[in-house]
Amino acid sequence: PVAVPCLCLIVITVEELDHVLRDRSHIDETLRLATEEKAADYVAAIQKLRKIYHSSIKPMEQAYKYNELRQHEISDGEITSKPMVLFLGPWSVGKSSMINYLLGLQDSPYQLYTGAEPTTSEFTVIMHGEKIRSVEGIVMAADSSRSFSPLEKFGQNFLEKLIGIEMPHKLLERVTFVDTPGIIENRKQQERGYPFNDVCQWFIDRADLIFVVFDPTKLDVGLELEMLFRQLKGRESQIRIILNKADNLATQDLMRVYGALFWSLAPLINVTEPPRVYVSSFWPYDYAPDTSRELFKREEISLLEDLNQVIENRMENKIAFIRQHAIRVRIHALLVDRYVQTFKEKMSFFSDPELVFQEIVDDPDKFYIFKSILAKTNVSKFDLPNRDAYRDFFGINPIASFKPLASQCSYIGGCLLEKIEKAITNELPGLLSSINSGKQPGLSSCEITGCGEKPKNRYRKN
């Protein structure tokens, strides 16, 4: 007599659970996961991009030690990597639940752990693999074929807080998700045991889409969140604000919370056009009754379309990223060349080399270092790096270790400056055009047969 009610209770509970689970079919439809990609064209474009980078950009990087200025070395793993979607925000706002929902991981052994308390203490990278398995951070950093090998510079304490999860999934064939520890304002960064802000900056610099997640109970902005938004400066086009758990509020309260969120974030985002804000509830279960279900569903589909746009434009974004990197390398080389020329002009037989160069580094405007670059080249003043960065750069790298650009030429290899300018103005835009027109990128006739043209050196005095 006692067992029958218990059995009925269990049946009712399962039926109720099935009832509240949300339909996920719109995710596959919006992200077009059923359609097959043109893998051959994509691989050909990636190989062409790698060739341009290694032949035209990397030699200039190495010659003028650009990586010691920007601390951003581009590896083959980064060129071939999938688009990265980064989740940031306060603790327990639903970042991990959102990933579980997008990938359909709820109630599976590999779902990300969620809860009302701070639950995610690691940086978790969810990526595609042939089988479901977890990968230790030390292994990820040691594998040069991945894009995470540069993370080794943040120390072993951080690598113990880095974990990868591989699984076969259609969405993960096209994108990689990164879940981050929630921001806790009453905890000092030093207590984490690794440079949290520096690690966040590394992921921010490489993310194609950045979801900053809030919920109605965590709208206040503290020091750590303020620091995070400072790190996001310059990446406003990649930022999407998410007001999660919106179905916990009545419509009138939701409008007030929406206004409070903008009021909190307004001082932190100094752009004329505010970032897109999505208001919904991103988790596997149905919306709460008597809430704006249709609005939340439309907002969710808009977010999925945003994500799909990043996936479809991944090759274009990668080419644009490499081109932007090449422009910065070229500007750096022109500046170092100008420092070298100025140093040689000011040196005399009785001069002290250290004192002469220290004067140039301390006051570059006195010697028109930056102004001459603007006057003689097509460099924008907004692209020029910080002057103070070169004081530190030359503190580590003696001026005597650099050659002028005019001497960076060889008959076989050509001139470094002309090669990188050709990549910026011709090769990378040409590759982008071939992607947009649907043509498979191939080698030009000069690359196949060799044009045999002697390289011209515009910096050599006649």
Side-chain angles (χ1 to χ4, degrees):
V2 177
V4 174
C6 291
L7 183 60
C8 294
L9 180 61
I10 292 173
V11 171
I12 291 171
T13 305
V14 171
E15 288 176 352
E16 289 178 350
L17 185 61
D18 288 339
H19 178 68
V20 298
L21 281 175
R22 195 185 304 176
D23 178 32
R24 295 184 64 261
S25 61
H26 63 284
I27 296 179
D28 293 352
E29 292 172 7
T30 308
L31 296 177
R32 302 177 180 87
L33 298 183
T35 60
E36 294 295 328
E37 295 183 301
K38 297 180 180 179
D41 292 349
Y42 181 75
V43 171
I46 285 289
Q47 293 304 322
K48 178 72 173 176
L49 184 60
R50 283 181 68 250
K51 183 178 184 302
I52 293 173
Y53 173 71
H54 282 285
S55 63
S56 302
I57 302 171
K58 193 167 185 177
M60 185 76 91
E61 275 185 45
Q62 295 173 334
Y64 290 94
K65 300 181 180 180
Y66 175 76
N67 295 328
E68 296 187 22
L69 178 75
R70 294 274 302 187
Q71 295 292 316
H72 189 172
E73 183 174 359
I74 296 180
S75 62
D76 283 348
E78 188 168 351
I79 294 175
T80 58
S81 65
K82 300 177 180 69
M84 181 188 294
V85 178
L86 181 64
F87 290 79
L88 300 169
W91 59 275
S92 195
V93 293
K95 300 186 295 294
S96 302
S97 296
M98 186 173 176
I99 295 174
N100 286 336
Y101 172 55
L102 292 173
L103 296 176
L105 298 181
Q106 63 275 6
D107 301 326
S108 73
Y110 280 84
Q111 69 173 340
L112 302 182
Y113 182 63
T114 60
E117 75 283 358
T119 53
T120 304
S121 60
E122 299 95 4
F123 282 80
T124 308
V125 181
I126 304 98
M127 50 196 166
H128 183 263
E130 296 301 322
K131 59 182 180 179
I132 297 178
R133 70 183 186 114
S134 60
V135 185
E136 296 295 328
I138 298 173
V139 177
M140 292 173 63
D143 188 352
S144 60
S145 65
R146 302 179 189 269
S147 59
F148 303 103
S149 52
L151 288 170
E152 204 163 14
K153 67 183 179 182
F154 297 117
Q156 296 301 308
N157 284 343
F158 165 68
L159 293 181
E160 292 176 1
K161 293 292 185 181
L162 175 67
I163 187 169
I165 298 176
E166 290 185 346
M167 62 181 69
H169 195 286
K170 278 286 187 182
L171 180 54
L172 294 178
E173 289 178 6
R174 309 180 184 191
V175 72
T176 296
F177 290 129
V178 179
D179 191 17
T180 61
I183 293 170
I184 304 176
E185 296 294 351
N186 61 357
R187 178 186 294 174
K188 294 180 181 178
Q189 180 181 335
Q190 290 86 346
E191 295 178 7
R192 294 183 186 268
Y194 61 89
F196 176 74
N197 288 336
D198 293 341
V199 174
C200 284
Q201 188 67 64
W202 189 92
F203 281 103
I204 288 168
D205 289 342
R206 288 156 180 80
D208 296 84
L209 195 59
I210 303 170
F211 290 140
V212 185
V213 188
F214 295 89
D215 76 5
T217 64
K218 298 182 182 67
L219 302 178
D220 55 320
V221 176
L223 291 176
E224 196 163 82
L225 192 59
E226 187 176 342
M227 174 63 73
L228 179 66
F229 271 92
R230 278 202 213 109
Q231 292 177 283
L232 291 169
K233 187 175 177 62
R235 302 302 304 276
E236 286 82 6
S237 61
Q238 280 86 27
I239 298 173
R240 305 294 184 271
I241 307 294
I242 296 176
L243 180 56
N244 201 14
K245 306 180 184 179
D247 61 343
N248 289 346
L249 299 173
T251 304
Q252 187 175 10
D253 292 332
L254 181 60
M255 292 174 63
R256 291 171 179 163
V257 167
Y258 187 85
L261 176 63
F262 263 100
W263 185 83
S264 298
L265 298 181
L268 306 179
I269 305 176
N270 297 319
V271 290
T272 55
E273 184 179 347
R276 178 73 165 86
V277 179
Y278 295 102
V279 181
S280 189
S281 182
F282 297 93
W283 72 327
Y285 302 106
D286 201 4
Y287 302 112
D290 301 324
T291 54
S292 306
R293 302 171 64 91
E294 291 302 318
L295 169 65
F296 298 154
K297 182 70 173 289
R298 288 196 300 270
E299 287 283 278
E300 183 178 322
I301 291 175
S302 295
L303 180 139
L304 293 172
E305 289 172 347
D306 215 347
L307 175 58
N308 187 62
Q309 196 69 28
V310 169
I311 295 172
E312 291 190 345
N313 294 340
R314 65 191 184 283
M315 194 64 234
E316 290 90 334
N317 292 339
K318 207 173 284 289
I319 294 170
F321 166 73
I322 295 296
R323 186 174 183 274
Q324 183 185 50
H325 177 77
I327 290 171
R328 288 172 176 165
V329 172
R330 172 179 173 268
I331 292 172
H332 169 69
L334 290 170
L335 283 169
V336 173
D337 177 70
R338 189 61 202 158
Y339 273 103
V340 171
Q341 290 185 26
T342 304
F343 174 67
K344 289 184 175 182
E345 290 170 2
K346 299 301 175 186
M347 277 294 295
S348 66
F349 184 77
F350 298 102
S351 299
D352 185 333
E354 290 187 8
L355 292 178
V356 170
F357 189 65
Q358 192 62 45
E359 184 183 5
I360 297 172
V361 171
D362 288 343
D363 191 5
D365 290 338
K366 177 181 176 183
F367 300 93
Y368 302 100
I369 299 289
F370 287 79
K371 289 181 180 178
S372 64
I373 297 298
L374 294 175
K376 295 181 180 180
T377 64
N378 58 341
V379 173
S380 167
K381 67 177 181 180
F382 301 105
D383 290 333
L384 290 176
N386 190 343
R387 290 159 170 74
D388 295 334
Y390 282 91
R391 186 182 292 112
D392 298 332
F393 176 78
F394 286 116
I396 301 171
N397 304 288
I399 188 66
S401 63
F402 297 104
K403 296 179 181 179
L405 275 172
S407 62
Q408 295 282 8
C409 288
S410 67
Y411 183 80
I412 297 175
C415 297
L416 294 187
L417 183 62
E418 290 188 354
K419 287 169 70 176
I420 198 170
E421 287 180 345
K422 181 183 177 184
I424 293 169
T425 57
N426 296 328
E427 294 176 342
L428 291 172
L431 179 58
L432 188 60
S433 298
S434 70
I435 295 296
N436 291 333
S437 62
K439 296 178 182 177
Q440 183 169 337
L443 296 176
S444 66
S445 58
C446 283
E447 289 172 315
I448 296 171
T449 61
C451 294
E453 182 181 353
K454 186 174 180 179
K456 299 175 183 177
N457 188 345
R458 71 182 67 183
Y459 276 78
R460 192 180 301 280
K461 294 180 180 179
N462 295 322

